[in-house]
């Protein structure tokens, strides 16, 4: 986990460089992990993609730089720097149309005890 006092601009630049060096064009690091809450910084180079995957119970994307397109079935939305969007509960993929860095916030459970 990254120190919560870290500067996001510095982390974004670091991970974008790591993404350029990565064969898949991506780099990520968990910023906050507290129970079911996770905030992950993700950097993607232009043309890279996160293949289709399931959505957690709740999620949002905040784009720090660049532009990413979230594709769910026939629906897609392009988000640019400064834009925040909640994600649907449908399977989706993410594609970077330019070098991009975003924060993915997820809630992986409701925090309620399971019933037996």
């Amino acid at each position: 986990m990254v120190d919560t006092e870290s500067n996001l601009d510095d982390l974004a630049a670091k991970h974008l460089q790591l993404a350029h060096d990565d064969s898949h064009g991506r780099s990520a690091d968990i910023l906050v992990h507290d129970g079911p809450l996770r905030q992950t910084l993700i950097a993607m180079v232009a043309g890279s993609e996160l293949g289709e995957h399931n959505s957690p119970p709740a999620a949002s994307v905040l784009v720090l730089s660049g532009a990413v397109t979230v594709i769910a079935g026939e629906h897609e939305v392009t988000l640019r720097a400064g834009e925040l969007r909640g994600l649907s509960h449908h399977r989706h993929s993410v594609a970077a149309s330019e070098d991009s860095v975003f924060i993915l916030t997820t809630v992986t459970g409701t925090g309620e005890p399971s019933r037996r």
Side-chain angles (χ1 to χ4, degrees), residues 1-7 11 14-15 29-32 41:
M1 181 166 92
V2 174
D3 180 356
T4 56
E5 299 299 316
S6 296
N7 180 294
L11 285 170
K14 171 188 168 185
H15 282 281
D29 204 352
I30 295 175
L31 303 175
V32 175
L41 182 126

Side-chain angles (χ1 to χ4, degrees), residues 68-113:
V68 296
T69 301
V70 179
I71 304 148
E74 295 181 15
H75 303 285
E76 65 180 62
V77 62
T78 298
L79 303 172
R80 301 189 183 286
E83 292 186 310
L84 170 69
R85 176 74 57 107
L87 293 176
S88 72
H89 299 286
H90 302 286
R91 289 181 59 80
H92 61 276
S93 61
V94 180
S97 54
E98 52 191 78
D99 288 358
S100 303
V101 179
F102 59 95
I103 294 177
L104 172 66
T105 300
T106 60
V107 177
T108 57
T110 62
E112 296 178 11

Side-chain angles (χ1 to χ4, degrees), residues 19 22-27 43-51 67-69 94-100:
D22 181 75
S23 62
H24 298 288
R26 303 185 305 254
S27 179
M44 298 174 65
V45 299
S48 65
E49 184 175 335
L50 293 172
V68 296
T69 301
V94 180
S97 54
E98 52 191 78
D99 288 358
S100 303

